[in-house]
Structure formats: structure tokens, C-alpha cells
Amino acid sequence: MAVSDIPNGGAFTSPPPTPEYGITKPISLAGPTDADFNRNLELEKFLVDSGLYESDEETATRQEVLRRLDQVVKSWVKQLTRLRGYTDQMVEDANAVIFTFGSYRLGVHGPGADIDTLCVGPSYVNREEDFFMLLHNILAEMEEVTELHPVPDAHVPVMKFKFQGISIDLLYASISHLVVPEDLDISDGSVLHDVDEPTVRSLNGCRVADQILKLVPNVEHFRTALRCLKFWAKRRGVYSNVTGFLGGVNWALLVARVCQLYPNAIPSMLVTRFFRVYTQWRWPNPVMLCSIEENELGFPIWDPRRNPRDRFHIMPIITPAYPCMNSSYNVSASTLRVMIEQLRYGNRICDEIELNKAQWSALFEPYQFFEAYKNYLQVDIIAVDADDLLPWKGWIESRLRQLTLKIERDTNGILQCHPYPHEYADTLKPCAHSSFFMGLQRKEGVRGQEGQQFDIRGTVDEFRHEINMYAYWKPGMEIYVSHVRRKQLPAFVFPDGYRRTRIPRHMSHLAEKVVEDATKCYSGSTERCIKRKNDTEIMDVKPSKPEKRASISPQRLECFSPESCTSRSGGTSQMSIDCIEGVRLDGSTTKDSDSICEIKSSDGLIGSTICAERPDLQISETGGVDSTFDRQKSRSPEVQNENGVNGNKAQDLDLDCLQGVETASTESLTNCKEGALNMDQPLDKACNFTTGADLSDYVPSASTQNLDCKGDVCVADGDQF
């Protein structure tokens, strides 16, 4: 320990250097105040009262399930070793090890959550036959195992099942060892030698979880903050990787980065700082916990300098274990828009909490999705029984994101989709079925041209064609896509089976304005606050409109049985979405007195008949969506600094060391156009992306008018969106 002389002849001992986490210095080293401690106690009490922690009995059950599963895979490997003709000593030494990852490994799982597990086996035990066939058959014969569902063709091959009622996702990785040691260090890079990419992806779940726990200053504070924010994301409808939002590992990485930036903060502080940071983050600047490692093994890593597809990632959140990848490649322009709106909502509520104007419960108010839009797409999935519905539904759900991307592509982003990551089912129906919904609206600030229409019949046909390529399709597996207006939503989507009383639109906007103005008033002068208060008391009273004519609801599915639905699936499906306030899909014409539109369509439901392939409407894996969030251009003329935060809002973030924060990830790649990249720069020194105009050459376009429009089409006033 260093000792220094001081003028009076004495000496003092310098404190040990504060450890640094992440690729930059922290934003603030400030610790909690008394008020922060009080808010933290309130937050932890709220989480407990909300039932986010499992009981001791369930914890014991999980441990017992993992112990039993470990026994099963060990026995399986020994059996295979004997069948392969190895010596008795090899059979005795043969081994497989179970690792956990995801929420269970991070310590943030709740009651009823599944356990993400990885089985690591020797080199002579393969995935295709030994894991998905032999082990599958062993599990199928066990009484404790139910709902066994293998998914061998997934991006990360997985076997899903329930073991003694606990949901398990089991992956398999065969490493280049004849004998797998019981104390295998999966974080060691040597486990990646001589393995294929699916194995790397399987191993990286555990490797990433271990790295996250090593890279945060305080694991317990990280866990509490992450548990809180995962609960918030689920309540606000933005928790789902497969739908195009963020999944568990994405939220964990975002929270971990905030922990690095505020190393002495307690959970209540981390939650409020989380919303402040990411409300102002300038995507697509990447979030990284550590430098991106390049390795002689040669696996592809996230590198927009060399990989053109990486430049289209609009919300990159980079994993910290080699090979470093973007964990949020599923995010689209529409889902990013929704998440930013929800982050702003959370930031506004947290500001009120810190001013003692609101309680923590206000932050977790459920998002009223079915009151947010006038128009929706309803996707009905049916099968003969629950066993057939499970894989069929999983296949369709994993591809709903493509429908969102296709609609955005074919309307040039003017028609925005909000996929809702919740599944609904009508318990009164006699057969196996499930429903998903998407909100539809015109892009904010875009005025519709007279007579403009959104004809997405060809888009839906293309989507259905891809869905029907399912390799395990069986008779009775059907999909129907229909357009419904808000007042036509089925009762089963509402918690109590009936619609809530809606607040008039102008009153809803007024309430939001009052909240926003109140927030602004906290830091403003008294006179400004009084003026705003007086302004909000003056209601904009408009002349009453003539009452709308009642329109007949579209023809709906009365029964989801395969027999009744098959008869409707033939013919050419037609769907034209406009205003959209007057759309009907029952083959008739309706006029809406408000929208002054006339819409015709020839099919009440979009069935599952395979249509002719449309080569002119093919979509790339990246979705072909503009990688730049368009509203960045129009938001405000704020100056962007290098850490992805608006410079004139630095005070809101307590940025006492703003200069240089995140520069390690943003300072070099000022332009990612081909020919403008310095390939010699380390990747962790780079990633400030170009605007949408710079990437225009990469974005496929499609006409928004009359896409393969046959028969009657709709003509309507697009301003009704």
C-alpha cells in the first residue's frame, strides 16, 4: 500500500484504486442517500408483494429436478458408450454434465419460470441421432416427463418438456473430449475447439451468463434491479425476443451496463438511472459490457465493419463472451419504436417517484394494448388437439416477426405494426386454438394522400405460404389472419370477459398532457406552472359529430374445428386495409360517415391455402427494414455526444464524467459505408452508424399501392389512421 509524505512530516495512506467495470469510466460514483434507501425498501417490498420470489418448497423442487436430470443424461451417455463398443473402463468414466443459464443461472427466476439447461457430452455423442432420438425416447418413457417437444431445426436446437411440473429447455453440446470432467470450466475458451456453430450457440448461453455476473460491481444489486425491470417489461408488453422485443438476456445486458455506469448505486437508483440512460440512448450505438474479443478460432463476431448485415441491426446489444454477437437482432423499426415509447413512460413515472409524486406500483401498471389502437390484425391458430397445437403454434409465433417486417416493407414503413407478445384463447371453444394480435396505425406525422390504400393481401399470402412450409404439418393445422376494428375485438382478450369503459380520446390526451406539464413544472418557475395549469383547464370543445352508422362485424370464426375451417380456406384471400376505420372483410361494402370511405373486400378470413410464390416480394433475413430509427431525424435539434446521450440532458443523468463515456464503442466508426471503414481499428473502438440515407442502397423497396390487387379494392381517406 502506497505511503506518501506530507508537509508536516506525517504520512497518509492512499486508498486502493476503485475497480473499473466495463469499457469506460462510470458516469457517477455517488452512493445512496437516506431517501434512496427508503425508496429501495419500498421497491423490495413491492417486488415481494407482487409474488416475484419463489417459495423454499419450489426452490427445493427445482434442485431435485436438476439432480434427476443430471442422473438421466449420465446414464444415457454410459449406455451409448457401451453400445459404441468402448472398453469397460471407458463406460465407467463416461460422463455428461448439466449446466444452467438464463434467469435461473443469473438468480432472477420467479415462481413457475422455466429452467434453461445445457447438457455437455463427449465428442462421440451427437445431437441429431443420440440427443434428439435416443435421449428423446428415454425421456418420453418417464412418467415424470410431460409435454415433450423437440425443436431440432431451431437456431439453437432445443428439447422442451416438463419434469415433475417444472418447465425445462434442454440444449446439447458435444465438445472435443472423450471424457467430460465433472468440474469442466465452461468459461474457458478451449471448450470451443473443433465444434460447429450450433454447438457454439448452445455453449454461449452459459458462458454469457457467467460473464455478466463477473462484469457487474454488485451481483445482488444487479439481481434485484433486473428482477424489477423484467417484471416491468412483461407488464408493459415489451418482453419477448421471438416477437421482436427483448428477451431475458437482452434485459440482463442492459441492466448490467447501467450497473457498470453507476457502481455504487442500490437497486432503486439503478432502476431510475436505467430509464434515464436508455430514454436518451442514441441507437444504433451498441451496448457492450467489455471489449469485443477476436480469436484465432475464427468464429464470426459482431463486426459492422466487415459484415454488411450487422449494419442493419438497429438496437445492438452485444454479448460479452466470445464469439461476441448481437443478442437483439430480432428488433425491428416498429418494435424499437414501441420500446422507446415505453422507456419514456417509465422515465416519466420514475421522475415522479423521486419527487414523491407517485408510488412504485404506478411504474408497473399494465399496458392497455387493446385500447391503444383503432385497428388490429388477429392471427388465429388451430389444430386438432393440444399436442398438435403446441409445435404448430411455436412455429407460427417464431415467424410472426416476419409478418411485421413484410408489412413495413410493402408499405415503405408508413403502416406501423405493434405485435403484442401475449397469447389469447377462448376457453368456450371446443377445440385447440390460440390467437395473437398486432396493433396497426399510420406512421406518426405522415399524412395520407387522397385515395391512398394499404393493400396487404399479397403480403399476408406470402406470409401464409412460408408458414405452410412447416416440415411437420398435419391435417387440421390451420392459420387465419383477419382485420378487426377495436369495437370488434373478441371478448376473450379482456381480463373480465368484457370491454372496459373507454375514456374519450380528447380526455385521455388531456390527462397525458397534465402529467407531462406537471413533470416539467417541477423544475420550472411558479408563473410557468400556473400558466400551464390554466391552459389545461380550458377544454377544446368541438362540435359533436354525427353519430357513426353501426357497421356489421366481420365474419368471425364460430368454431375452430378443422372441419369447419377447411371449407373456408380455399380461394384467393383478399385483404385491403385503409383508413382503417371502415374496413370490412365479409364480402360486402360499408360506408363510414366519419372517414367518408368505401371499402370492398371479398374474403372474411384469410385461410391457410398455399398461394403461388411471389418472387418479387421476397424478404431478406434482416427484414429489409431501414436500420435507422426514422424519428431520430425529427425529434429535436439536440446535440448528440459520443455516449449515445443528448448532450443538453447530461444533468438529468448526473453525468459528472460524461466526456468519454461509451466512446470506446462509438468514437471510430463515424461512417459504416463500404470503403469508409478503417479495418485496422479495434472493434471495441467503433460503432457510430450512418443515417438511413447512407444505407439506402441496401434497403429493398416495394410499392404501397395495389400489391397483386385482384378484384375489388378499397379507396379511402388515409387520414383516419
Side-chain angles (χ1 to χ4, degrees):
M1 192 172 290
V3 177
S4 303
D5 294 333
I6 54 178
N8 60 7
F12 70 89
T13 302
S14 61
T18 303
E20 290 188 3
Y21 296 88
I23 58 177
T24 63
K25 292 182 179 180
I27 290 176
S28 172
L29 296 175
T33 64
D34 290 342
D36 291 321
F37 279 119
N38 291 334
R39 281 191 290 270
N40 195 66
L41 290 174
E42 294 172 358
L43 176 61
E44 291 181 342
K45 181 179 184 303
F46 176 83
L47 297 180
V48 172
D49 294 344
S50 299
L52 298 187
Y53 295 88
E54 69 178 4
S55 64
D56 293 339
E57 293 77 11
E58 187 172 357
T59 299
T61 301
R62 289 179 184 275
Q63 293 172 350
E64 173 62 18
V65 165
L66 289 173
R67 187 187 67 80
R68 286 281 293 114
L69 184 59
D70 188 61
Q71 291 177 345
V72 170
V73 298
K74 281 177 166 55
S75 174
W76 162 64
V77 168
K78 288 181 182 297
Q79 178 183 345
L80 278 169
T81 306
R82 185 177 292 107
L83 289 174
R84 300 277 157 84
Y86 287 96
T87 64
D88 292 342
Q89 184 62 46
M90 278 289 294
V91 172
E92 182 180 346
D93 294 340
N95 192 32
V97 183
I98 290 290
F99 293 89
T100 61
F101 61 100
S103 62
Y104 187 84
R105 175 68 184 92
L106 293 174
V108 296
H109 62 285
D114 62 358
I115 306 179
D116 295 310
T117 57
L118 168 69
C119 174
V120 178
S123 57
Y124 56 86
V125 177
N126 63 59
R127 181 187 299 107
E128 292 75 16
E129 297 179 0
D130 300 333
F131 180 73
F132 279 113
M133 295 180 67
L134 184 56
L135 181 60
H136 173 273
N137 294 338
I138 293 173
L139 292 172
E141 294 174 358
M142 298 178 63
E143 292 183 359
E144 307 101 306
V145 176
T146 58
E147 300 182 21
L148 181 59
H149 173 47
V151 192
D153 55 348
H155 186 63
V156 181
V158 60
M159 194 139 56
K160 297 173 176 284
F161 54 92
K162 287 188 176 180
F163 200 116
Q164 295 182 9
I166 302 294
S167 296
I168 301 288
D169 285 357
L170 179 62
L171 314 181
Y172 179 71
S174 174
I175 61 174
S176 57
H177 289 63
L178 283 177
V179 177
V180 178
E182 192 67 26
D183 59 350
L184 176 68
D185 182 8
I186 203 169
S187 297
D188 193 310
S190 63
V191 300
L192 301 179
H193 283 283
D194 297 326
V195 298
D196 57 14
E197 289 193 22
T199 300
V200 172
R201 291 193 290 267
S202 298
L203 289 166
N204 258 18
C206 301
R207 290 162 52 80
V208 166
D210 288 346
Q211 280 295 103
I212 290 174
L213 294 176
K214 291 177 183 177
L215 292 171
V216 294
N218 188 304
V219 172
E220 289 307 315
H221 291 172
F222 161 75
R223 284 173 171 162
T224 302
L226 177 57
R227 192 183 295 271
C228 171
L229 287 160
K230 285 180 62 175
F231 182 52
W232 172 84
K234 292 175 181 178
R235 299 282 280 183
R236 302 303 295 178
V238 290
Y239 187 95
S240 174
N241 183 277
V242 70
T243 312
F245 294 104
L246 300 181
V249 67
N250 309 127
W251 291 107
L253 292 169
L254 292 181
V255 173
R257 186 66 185 120
V258 174
C259 291
Q260 292 179 339
L261 295 175
Y262 298 92
N264 297 322
I266 58 177
S268 62
M269 299 170 63
L270 292 172
V271 170
T272 57
R273 271 60 173 181
F274 178 91
F275 289 108
R276 291 181 188 175
V277 168
Y278 292 117
T279 294
Q280 301 177 50
W281 195 271
R282 302 297 254 181
W283 305 105
N285 290 322
V287 173
M288 297 190 295
L289 300 185
C290 59
S291 300
I292 293 180
E293 175 188 355
E294 298 194 52
N295 193 294
E296 69 278 0
L297 294 176
F299 289 109
I301 61 173
W302 186 80
D303 187 349
R305 302 169 307 170
R306 296 180 173 88
N307 307 324
R309 285 176 56 180
D310 291 347
R311 304 173 199 173
F312 291 100
H313 295 170
I314 61 178
M315 193 182 189
I317 303 171
I318 311 304
T319 57
Y322 176 83
C324 299
M325 302 300 293
N326 176 22
S327 63
S328 53
Y329 62 88
N330 275 353
V331 174
S332 69
S334 283
T335 52
L336 177 59
R337 170 184 59 85
V338 172
M339 285 188 283
I340 287 179
E341 290 173 355
Q342 292 304 319
L343 288 169
R344 288 173 179 165
Y345 164 85
N347 188 49
R348 186 169 66 246
I349 298 299
C350 284
D351 286 345
E352 295 176 9
I353 291 173
E354 289 194 328
L355 292 167
N356 297 320
K357 300 293 184 180
Q359 301 296 320
W360 284 111
S361 57
L363 182 64
F364 302 94
E365 284 293 323
Y367 178 60
Q368 301 300 329
F369 174 73
F370 292 108
E371 298 180 13
Y373 298 93
K374 292 182 179 180
N375 303 275
Y376 298 85
L377 280 185
Q378 178 174 340
V379 180
D380 291 305
I381 307 165
I382 65 171
V384 172
D385 53 36
D387 290 338
D388 283 354
L389 181 65
L390 187 63
W392 178 233
K393 179 185 65 178
W395 167 262
I396 295 174
E397 184 180 7
S398 68
R399 279 147 184 82
L400 284 177
R401 183 179 68 95
Q402 293 298 323
L403 179 58
T404 301
L405 295 175
K406 292 174 190 293
I407 292 174
E408 291 176 346
R409 175 201 65 188
D410 292 345
T411 62
N412 284 343
I414 299 176
L415 182 60
Q416 294 179 330
C417 301
H418 177 179
Y420 199 51
H422 290 274
E423 173 191 352
Y424 295 89
D426 189 351
T427 57
L428 300 178
K429 298 298 180 184
C431 50
H433 83 286
S434 180
S435 295
F436 291 92
F437 292 83
M438 294 184 183
L440 300 173
Q441 70 175 14
R442 179 183 293 279
K443 184 176 180 180
E444 185 178 357
V446 176
R447 300 284 297 178
Q449 301 174 359
E450 184 178 355
Q452 185 182 15
Q453 63 187 9
F454 294 108
D455 185 349
I456 62 171
R457 290 173 294 182
T459 308
V460 171
D461 281 345
E462 181 187 351
F463 171 71
R464 287 191 299 106
H465 175 75
E466 294 177 359
I467 290 298
N468 281 284
M469 300 301 291
Y470 183 48
Y472 304 98
W473 183 90
K474 296 180 181 179
M477 292 181 173
E478 307 289 352
I479 176 175
Y480 294 86
V481 181
S482 54
H483 163 252
V484 292
R485 293 165 63 181
R486 184 167 55 208
K487 61 185 178 182
Q488 298 163 343
L489 288 166
F492 62 78
V493 304
F494 299 97
D496 300 317
Y498 58 86
R499 294 169 176 77
R500 295 175 17 147
T501 303
R502 279 189 53 77
I503 302 175
R505 190 178 183 88
H506 72 280
M507 291 296 292
S508 175
H509 288 175
L510 178 63
E512 292 179 3
K513 186 175 187 301
V514 169
V515 172
E516 183 178 353
D517 287 347
T519 304
K520 293 178 181 178
C521 283
Y522 297 145
S523 59
S525 67
T526 305
E527 293 134 17
R528 288 204 308 270
C529 294
I530 295 174
K531 183 177 185 303
R532 290 194 183 105
K533 180 179 179 182
N534 292 338
D535 289 343
T536 58
E537 291 174 352
I538 303 174
M539 289 190 181
D540 184 14
V541 180
K542 297 182 180 180
S544 59
K545 294 183 179 180
E547 187 176 352
K548 283 188 178 182
R549 284 170 88 184
S551 61
I552 302 173
S553 299
Q555 186 178 5
R556 306 296 304 147
L557 286 172
E558 296 300 331
C559 176
F560 287 87
S561 66
E563 292 79 12
S564 64
C565 296
T566 304
S567 63
R568 302 185 189 188
S569 63
T572 303
S573 60
Q574 302 221 0
M575 175 179 291
S576 299
I577 296 185
D578 215 23
C579 25
I580 293 179
E581 195 64 4
V583 171
R584 292 176 59 192
L585 298 176
D586 58 355
S588 58
T589 304
T590 182
K591 289 189 177 182
D592 191 301
S593 59
D594 284 350
S595 61
I596 318 176
C597 69
E598 180 174 340
I599 297 176
K600 297 179 181 180
S601 183
S602 63
D603 195 3
L605 291 168
I606 306 303
S608 61
T609 301
I610 300 178
C611 64
E613 187 175 356
R614 295 168 54 82
D616 56 319
L617 289 180
Q618 293 305 307
I619 191 166
S620 65
E621 187 63 25
T622 59
V625 178
D626 190 341
S627 65
T628 302
F629 190 54
D630 293 337
R631 294 199 303 175
Q632 287 182 357
K633 301 177 183 179
S634 59
R635 251 202 304 263
S636 65
E638 297 161 344
V639 178
Q640 175 186 347
N641 59 38
E642 292 179 331
N643 76 321
V645 180
N646 299 342
N648 62 349
K649 293 188 179 180
Q651 298 302 320
D652 296 338
L653 287 170
D654 301 328
L655 304 184
D656 54 358
C657 55
L658 223 177
Q659 185 67 29
V661 174
E662 295 296 338
T663 53
S665 65
T666 61
E667 67 183 3
S668 298
L669 281 187
T670 54
N671 286 293
C672 274
K673 292 182 290 186
E674 290 189 13
L677 303 178
N678 184 354
M679 297 300 179
D680 296 327
Q681 291 175 331
L683 184 57
D684 60 295
K685 299 291 184 184
C687 286
N688 205 356
F689 287 78
T690 59
T691 63
D694 294 325
L695 294 174
S696 59
D697 292 340
Y698 293 93
V699 181
S701 61
S703 172
T704 61
Q705 300 289 333
N706 299 322
L707 295 178
D708 193 29
C709 196
K710 298 178 181 179
D712 293 329
V713 296
C714 62
V715 178
D717 180 4
D719 294 339
Q720 286 298 317
F721 274 103

